[in-house]
């Protein structure tokens, strides 16, 4: 039996390159990141609104510590995608107020995008922080 070393080493080398690149681009994952990601995965199928909200919160926290516009853009994109998912999922106890809140959030998120497009990282992060006021307002209203 002949052993083909290339067949083993090439996939391993490619995996190392991909993982190293992800580590360099995204920074070292923390234990908190891993636990939060696992929670989100667990909730994904059974509670779409809850999972969307947790992912939004996760990306909100990550956006505040972003070091570059590209990094922030990734978090904002994911936040936006999950805000849209939350909007589609709806909230049965007060659907009209919920839709108003999510629409307000998405409108404010567009001002974050404007700052990113203008190349102003600090302004974008400050505008992102302001989204927390909307969160507090509506979470208080819905008692969540």
């Amino acid at each position: 039996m002949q052993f083909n070393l290339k067949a083993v080493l090439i996939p391993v080398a490619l995996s190392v390159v991909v993982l190293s690149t992800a580590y360099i681009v995204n920074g070292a994952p923390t234990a908190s990141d891993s636990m939060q990601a696992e929670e989100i995965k667990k909730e994904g199928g059974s509670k779409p609104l809850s999972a969307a909200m947790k992912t939004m919160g996760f990306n909100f926290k990550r956006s505040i510590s972003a070091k570059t516009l590209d990094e922030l853009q990734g978090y904002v994109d994911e936040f936006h995608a999950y805000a849209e998912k939350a909007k589609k999922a709806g909230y049965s106890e007060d659907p009209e107020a919920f839709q108003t809140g999510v629409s307000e959030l998405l409108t404010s998120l567009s001002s974050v995008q404007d700052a990113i497009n203008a190349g102003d990282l600090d302004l974008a992060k400050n505008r992102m922080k302001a989204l927390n006021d909307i969160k507090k307002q509506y979470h208080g209203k819905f008692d969540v």
Side-chain angles (χ1 to χ4, degrees), residues 66-69 72 115-116 119-126:
K67 305 273 188 266
T68 67
L69 286 167
L72 180 59
I116 291 171
D120 192 335
L121 180 63
D122 290 333
L123 179 61
K125 287 169 65 172
N126 284 331

Side-chain angles (χ1 to χ4, degrees), residues 49 52 56 77-90 98-99 102-103 105-107 109:
L49 178 59
M56 289 165 60
D77 288 345
E78 192 168 354
F79 186 97
H80 185 270
Y82 278 89
E84 290 290 349
K85 286 181 183 187
K87 189 173 185 175
K88 286 179 186 166
F98 179 79
Q99 292 299 320
V102 174
S103 293
L105 187 72
L106 289 168
T107 299
L109 193 60

Side-chain angles (χ1 to χ4, degrees), residues 1-111:
M1 184 169 151
Q2 190 174 355
F3 183 72
N4 187 346
L5 190 58
K6 278 185 179 178
V8 173
L9 290 180
I10 290 174
V12 171
L14 288 173
S15 296
V16 169
V17 169
V18 169
L19 291 173
S20 299
T21 303
Y23 185 86
I24 291 166
V25 171
N26 298 321
T30 65
S32 176
D33 288 346
S34 298
M35 288 187 296
Q36 213 160 6
E38 277 305 307
E39 270 184 44
I40 291 165
K41 285 180 191 172
K42 284 180 193 173
E43 300 229 0
S46 61
K47 300 177 184 174
L49 178 59
S50 178
M53 292 293 184
K54 284 186 179 194
T55 303
M56 289 165 60
F58 183 54
N59 281 290
F60 173 81
K61 290 175 188 173
R62 292 168 39 185
S63 70
I64 302 307
S65 63
K67 305 273 188 266
T68 67
L69 286 167
D70 287 340
E71 182 183 8
L72 180 59
Q73 183 67 68
Y75 301 143
V76 168
D77 288 345
E78 192 168 354
F79 186 97
H80 185 270
Y82 278 89
E84 290 290 349
K85 286 181 183 187
K87 189 173 185 175
K88 286 179 186 166
Y91 184 66
S92 60
E93 291 186 31
D94 193 347
E96 190 174 312
F98 179 79
Q99 292 299 320
T100 301
V102 174
S103 293
E104 191 177 323
L105 187 72
L106 289 168
T107 299
S108 293
L109 193 60
S110 69
S111 73

